[in-house]
Amino acid sequence: MKKMKIFAAMIAALLLAVPAIVQSKQDKAAKAKSLEVSFDYQKQGGPGSNQYAVWIENEKGDVVKTLFVTSYTTKGRARGGQQAQRGYIVRPTCVPTWVKTVKADEKTDQQLDAVTGATPQVSGKQTFTWDFTDEQGKVVPKGTYKVVVEATLFFESDIIYTGTFSTKDKAGNIALTSTLTKPDEQNKDMVTNVMAVLK
């Protein structure tokens, strides 16, 4: 009789453990494997606009990886037969937070080329994906990170969207906050519907 009670207790313990094991597997399956950043881009006319950057920072505020920065920012534009200078040198108001945070002056042209893309010539949705790797392609340590989207709307008018998340988070939307340095009604719709989604 005693053996039967022990056996029954063992069966009951196993049955109680099964849901926890299943839940654990579901939790692991739901953990995010990448981050998708997107926004609607509306091309603006004239100089001093249409520049933006998207990057990831670690808890210390160091840039882990730049996902994208517009080509004028890093390559500039040749004028009057002169050699092109980096755009942020010619126009210091060009995504200044990215320039300072990434320490652009310390980067080689090749390093900047690796993250630079053409400034879109037409309006439309822009999407960037981070696969949890650094600039060398190595998987980043587990921890808390910040996604940053910076857009130069018009000269000194600059808007920054930020959101914090963990590599342990499940798939879902990241809450973003925005900071605008100087309102500019004319170009306020350059970047809208900014989203960061863990997938």
Side-chain angles (χ1 to χ4, degrees), residues 26-199:
Q26 288 175 343
D27 288 346
K28 286 181 181 177
K31 195 192 315 186
K33 297 177 181 172
S34 66
L35 171 69
E36 182 179 280
V37 183
S38 65
F39 53 84
D40 293 330
Y41 168 73
Q42 181 70 41
K43 181 173 169 55
Q44 305 298 308
S49 185
N50 298 311
Q51 305 307 310
Y52 57 83
V54 182
W55 72 95
I56 307 295
E57 296 179 11
N58 62 21
E59 289 182 272
K60 296 177 182 177
D62 299 324
V63 175
V64 174
K65 194 171 196 176
T66 297
L67 305 183
F68 182 88
V69 62
T70 45
S71 60
Y72 175 79
T73 301
T74 59
K75 297 181 178 181
R77 190 177 296 117
R79 299 177 189 277
Q82 295 180 342
Q83 185 175 356
Q85 279 189 299
R86 294 179 178 183
Y88 67 84
I89 295 173
V90 177
R91 191 189 303 153
T93 55
C94 188
V95 285
T97 302
W98 175 82
V99 170
K100 181 180 178 181
T101 307
V102 81
K103 299 176 183 173
D105 283 338
E106 298 176 14
K107 302 287 184 185
T108 65
D109 289 343
Q110 291 75 20
Q111 287 173 315
L112 293 179
D113 282 347
V115 296
T116 298
T119 305
Q121 296 304 303
V122 294
S123 302
K125 186 174 183 179
Q126 308 297 309
T127 303
F128 310 93
T129 302
W130 184 48
D131 60 359
F132 293 1
T133 62
D134 62 18
E135 291 179 341
Q136 287 73 45
K138 297 177 182 176
V139 176
V140 297
K142 292 177 182 177
T144 302
Y145 292 86
K146 181 165 73 172
V147 57
V148 188
V149 176
E150 179 180 24
T152 298
L153 305 179
F154 188 67
F155 289 102
E156 292 86 5
S157 181
D158 193 71
I159 192 164
I160 298 177
Y161 295 85
T162 61
T164 303
F165 61 97
S166 169
T167 53
K168 297 177 183 178
D169 287 347
K170 296 179 183 178
N173 289 354
I174 296 170
L176 299 176
T177 58
S178 63
T179 305
L180 180 64
T181 58
K182 181 180 177 183
D184 179 72
E185 284 300 311
Q186 183 179 348
N187 290 11
K188 65 183 175 63
D189 294 328
M190 185 189 120
V191 169
T192 57
N193 301 321
V194 181
M195 294 187 68
V197 184
L198 288 167
K199 295 194 167 187

